[in-house]
Amino acid sequence: MAAGPDRSLVLFRHAKSAWPDVPCSTARRARETWQHAQTGLAAAPPVTFDARVYEAAAADLLALIHEVPPTAGTLLVIGHNPGIGDLAVLLAAAAFGAAGPGPGAAGPGDLERMRAKFPTAAIAVLAHAGTWPDLAPRRARLTAFVTPRDLDSGPATGS
């Protein structure tokens, strides 16, 4: 990885529709997920809604990330599977570096859990020491993987 401050990429699979028998567009579910998520934030970060995210494959999402201004230290992408889950797996080199787990490292089983299933409303956090255009497959470190089930059962592993 390139030298420099870590950038954080948060990949968030949209939440389920509250209306089980009514079709709800993927764009709408992503926007509603953001509306619910932002209520817990102490800040109002700049938001961009980009139609290219909806139904995008991992490679397409990575191309969009490459367009992010270098001043952005943290990037949240809310999207859909299989794209979001595939991107998380594509980017994650490991759950922790060669020195082993450290502060902020994901649990040792989190990478495998993420590979097995990226459920609705799951979040993967990856660290990248470089600029957004430098982000490439297997060049990020998984620092957290949290699913709704983790929250139901208490503190998540690695967070």
Side-chain angles (χ1 to χ4, degrees), residues 30-73:
R31 286 175 185 254
E32 289 172 351
T33 299
W34 168 244
Q35 288 171 349
H36 290 292
Q38 76 176 350
T39 61
L41 298 178
V47 176
T48 301
F49 294 101
D50 191 322
R52 296 176 294 170
V53 171
Y54 312 123
E55 306 298 330
D60 300 323
L61 292 170
L62 183 56
L64 290 173
I65 291 167
H66 288 164
E67 297 175 12
V68 173
T71 55

Side-chain angles (χ1 to χ4, degrees), residues 9-11 88 92 94-96 103-107 110-111 113-114 118 122-127 141-147 150 156-159:
L9 175 61
V10 181
L11 299 175
F96 44 81
D110 285 346
L111 183 58
R113 282 191 323 128
M114 186 175 75
F118 203 103
I123 297 173
V125 182
L126 298 117
R141 183 178 74 256
L142 180 66
T143 61
F145 179 61
V146 180
T147 69
D150 297 331
T157 303
S159 55

